[in-house]
Amino acid sequence: MHRPALLLVSLLAAQAGTAQETAGPTKQNWFDDPFFQVSAGLPACATPEGPFYTAEERRLQTHSRLERGTSCWLAGQCADSNAYRYDKPLAPKVRAALRAVPGVDRGSVWVVIQRRWVYLQGCVPNTALARKLERAARALPDVETVVPDLMTGTRGKPPYPVAMGSPRHGIRPTDR
């Protein structure tokens, strides 16, 4: 290879490496946990990070997920020996129950389901809607617990981890 071409290839490789370091390690949904958006009525709402992990975070979580997954079976609270196996069949039921709540379209709500725990994340226009969504999810069979990580309006720091590139708080007063 000629020197100029070799130099160009080296520079491009170095830039690609720098871009990857700047963006951080790649995250993905290694465990295939259900994660979906129910409504998008408050566009300035910060998007939750969801169940996305780096390879290192995945490695660190694997053992504890095995323990948590079997603990409900050992306690006699699950028929299945792995609580995470309930999550995929539960996801469409949770989606339908939340979509049936009047006013849900006025908020921006996402759901993560892990071992029969339903995490409600996002923004709602008022606390009454947050309570209704929590009750709707909690009423479903096989839901062990509901974690309502919902904020009223779009201003302030969200009570959930935020996706890269998502605004940390709203900028439009009309979204409150």
Side-chain angles (χ1 to χ4, degrees):
M1 200 180 261
H2 295 275
R3 271 198 167 151
L6 185 57
L7 181 60
L8 179 62
V9 169
S10 297
L11 284 172
L12 290 173
Q15 283 178 336
T18 303
Q20 178 62 25
E21 291 169 17
T22 304
T26 302
K27 290 188 169 200
Q28 56 185 310
N29 189 351
W30 295 96
F31 303 107
D32 203 23
D33 295 324
F35 175 57
F36 53 91
Q37 188 171 12
V38 175
S39 61
L42 292 172
C45 186
T47 304
E49 181 176 57
F52 295 90
Y53 308 102
T54 64
E56 178 61 16
E57 289 168 331
R58 172 186 168 226
R59 187 187 67 73
L60 293 171
Q61 283 209 15
T62 299
H63 179 72
S64 62
R65 284 178 69 102
L66 287 171
E67 286 180 341
R68 288 189 311 252
T70 58
S71 64
C72 110
W73 179 68
L74 293 171
Q77 297 171 334
C78 295
D80 197 312
S81 62
N82 185 340
Y84 290 94
R85 286 193 201 120
Y86 287 85
D87 298 345
K88 284 187 182 180
L90 195 52
K93 297 171 188 171
V94 170
R95 182 190 304 268
L98 297 178
R99 290 290 311 146
V101 173
V104 69
D105 287 330
R106 293 188 347 229
S108 287
V109 178
W110 289 263
V111 175
V112 175
I113 303 176
Q114 294 176 327
R115 77 181 185 284
R116 300 176 27 189
W117 286 37
V118 176
Y119 295 85
L120 303 176
Q121 300 176 330
C123 308
V124 290
N126 55 59
T127 56
L129 179 58
R131 285 192 298 270
K132 289 176 187 176
L133 292 167
E134 182 180 355
R135 277 196 303 273
R138 198 176 296 282
L140 293 169
D142 290 329
V143 169
E144 183 178 332
T145 204
V146 176
V147 180
D149 285 339
L150 296 166
M151 61 189 284
T152 303
T154 58
R155 292 187 172 195
K157 186 178 187 305
Y160 51 85
V162 175
M164 289 295 278
S166 179
R168 289 236 172 242
H169 49 79
I171 53 173
R172 297 184 312 196
T174 56
D175 286 340
R176 274 189 275 151

